[in-house]
Amino acid sequence: MKNQTKIIAEKGIQELFITREFNAPRELVFRAFNESELLLQWLGGCDMTMKIDHFDSRTGGSYRFIHCTATGQEFSFNGVIHDVTAPERIIRTFEFEGLPERGHVSLETATFEALPDNRTKLTIQSVFKSVSDRDGMVAAGVEHGVTDSHQRLDELFERLLK
Amino acid sequence: MKNQTKIIAEKGIQELFITREFNAPRELVFRAFNESELLLQWLGGCDMTMKIDHFDSRTGGSYRFIHCTATGQEFSFNGVIHDVTAPERIIRTFEFEGLPERGHVSLETATFEALPDNRTKLTIQSVFKSVSDRDGMVAAGVEHGVTDSHQRLDELFERLLK
């Protein structure tokens, strides 16, 4: 399969990489990460609904997203946005509010690379405060949620490019 | 020596720790990191003057600082502020603008811990995008600048507590 979500978490280091290719031009993939009305159509798993508390998508901005399960359980995330350089790069912090202790923040760098045939490669590096923070994120099932979200992104791009 | 700046950069990992104790209560040490008029009196080395481009010291805020040498050379830094929890914690991003390429951002967590006798322990963890980014920062002489700044902080606290 060509467009496959890969999560690489090498043992013993405090980072992970997510890579994915999409059948959509870089400008559109970048927009899907930065515009609220597009983000709401794909972020979070298929079994979740998403609310945006706030999303000021610019260098110096910030965000807070809430994902709700069908049974009403909520998972919230927030962060500040260090850099939005269209259409190539987003750097931001990320904190899951459901942890027993505050301060377990990670730093995410999303890179959007143009491929031939109007395709795009996305690479996200997440750097964590510790290896155990990274391992906790992997154990919490990040792979399922991310893979699911990327499939919804494929569907969004199909609709938009029709 | 009791109040000594220590920089711990364990080989092969993408983080470093700076620790330092101060003869000043936690509230005052925390203020020295958050109030422009205090920051200007200690941050940067003795041979540098400092300018604040902007400093919005709050959760969701941002900053940009410029350090000038006697010969007019400028070194600028900027970042966004993920968390300011008085008087115990500051989490922010950090980017040196003088690198040949943008995007080499690190994530800093400063923790302020109250010690007996109105003393305070500061711990700063910096997590980098790579081991080579971390090593580059160490090679650039971070130790000299930080040690120098902390000595100026000692002098500031002496003046304020007199």
Side-chain angles (χ1 to χ4, degrees):
Chain A
M1 223 182 91
K2 212 174 181 183
N3 297 337
Q4 203 178 350
T5 300
K6 287 180 194 154
I7 299 187
I8 301 138
E10 202 186 313
K11 195 172 163 22
I13 60 175
Q14 64 206 91
E15 64 180 353
L16 65 78
F17 289 89
I18 297 170
T19 61
R20 180 62 145 83
E21 294 181 12
F22 296 98
N23 296 335
R26 178 160 75 155
E27 284 69 19
L28 180 57
V29 180
F30 188 83
R31 277 182 55 208
F33 280 78
N34 281 284
E35 295 180 14
S36 297
E37 59 271 38
L38 297 182
L39 203 66
L40 285 166
Q41 295 180 58
W42 68 270
L43 192 60
C46 291
D47 44 356
M48 303 282 236
T49 53
M50 180 186 169
K51 288 186 286 188
I52 294 181
D53 178 75
H54 68 275
F55 184 28
D56 185 13
S57 183
R58 58 170 179 88
T59 299
S62 64
Y63 70 94
R64 183 167 183 262
F65 303 148
I66 304 152
H67 299 278
C68 308
T69 65
T71 57
Q73 209 183 349
E74 291 194 343
F75 300 93
S76 302
F77 307 87
N78 73 76
V80 283
I81 303 170
H82 180 91
D83 181 22
V84 177
T85 300
E88 63 191 73
R89 188 172 58 238
I90 303 165
I91 302 176
R92 64 180 193 183
T93 62
F94 174 95
E95 183 168 15
F96 171 44
E97 296 175 9
L99 295 178
E101 182 182 79
R102 300 300 301 267
H104 292 267
V105 180
S106 58
L107 182 68
E108 293 185 351
T109 301
T111 311
F112 302 83
E113 183 190 346
L115 299 180
D117 303 321
N118 273 324
R119 300 180 72 254
T120 302
K121 182 175 182 181
L122 165 71
T123 303
I124 298 174
Q125 180 199 30
S126 290
V127 181
F128 294 81
K129 273 183 69 67
S130 65
V131 177
S132 66
D133 274 12
R134 197 278 312 260
D135 291 346
M137 181 67 96
V138 172
V142 63
E143 185 157 8
H144 172 73
V146 169
T147 303
D148 222 29
S149 293
H150 289 169
Q151 281 167 11
R152 293 175 78 196
L153 251 182
D154 282 341
E155 293 160 21
L156 173 67
F157 293 142
E158 266 178 44
R159 287 198 300 278
L160 293 171
L161 294 168
K162 215 166 33 190
Chain B
M1 225 182 90
K2 211 174 181 184
N3 296 337
Q4 202 177 353
T5 301
K6 288 182 194 154
I7 299 187
I8 301 138
E10 201 185 314
K11 196 172 164 18
I13 62 175
Q14 64 206 90
E15 64 181 353
L16 64 78
F17 289 90
I18 296 170
T19 61
R20 179 65 144 83
E21 294 181 13
F22 296 98
N23 296 334
R26 179 160 76 153
E27 285 67 22
L28 181 57
V29 180
F30 188 82
R31 278 181 55 207
F33 280 79
N34 281 285
E35 295 180 15
S36 298
E37 59 272 38
L38 297 181
L39 202 67
L40 285 166
Q41 296 180 56
W42 69 268
L43 192 60
C46 291
D47 44 356
M48 303 281 237
T49 53
M50 179 186 170
K51 288 186 287 188
I52 293 180
D53 178 74
H54 69 274
F55 184 29
D56 185 14
S57 183
R58 58 170 179 87
T59 299
S62 64
Y63 69 94
R64 183 167 183 263
F65 302 148
I66 304 153
H67 299 278
C68 309
T69 65
T71 58
Q73 208 183 348
E74 291 194 342
F75 300 94
S76 302
F77 307 87
N78 74 75
V80 282
I81 302 169
H82 179 91
D83 181 22
V84 177
T85 299
E88 63 192 72
R89 188 172 59 235
I90 303 164
I91 303 176
R92 64 181 194 181
T93 62
F94 175 94
E95 182 168 18
F96 171 44
E97 297 176 9
L99 295 178
E101 184 181 78
R102 299 299 302 266
H104 292 268
V105 180
S106 58
L107 182 68
E108 292 184 353
T109 301
T111 310
F112 302 83
E113 183 190 346
L115 299 180
D117 302 321
N118 273 325
R119 300 179 73 254
T120 302
K121 181 175 181 180
L122 165 71
T123 303
I124 298 174
Q125 180 200 31
S126 290
V127 181
F128 294 81
K129 274 182 69 65
S130 64
V131 177
S132 65
D133 275 13
R134 198 279 311 259
D135 291 345
M137 181 66 97
V138 173
V142 64
E143 185 158 7
H144 173 73
V146 169
T147 303
D148 222 29
S149 293
H150 289 169
Q151 281 167 10
R152 293 175 77 197
L153 251 181
D154 283 340
E155 293 161 19
L156 173 65
F157 294 141
E158 266 178 45
R159 286 198 300 278
L160 293 172
L161 293 168
K162 214 166 33 187

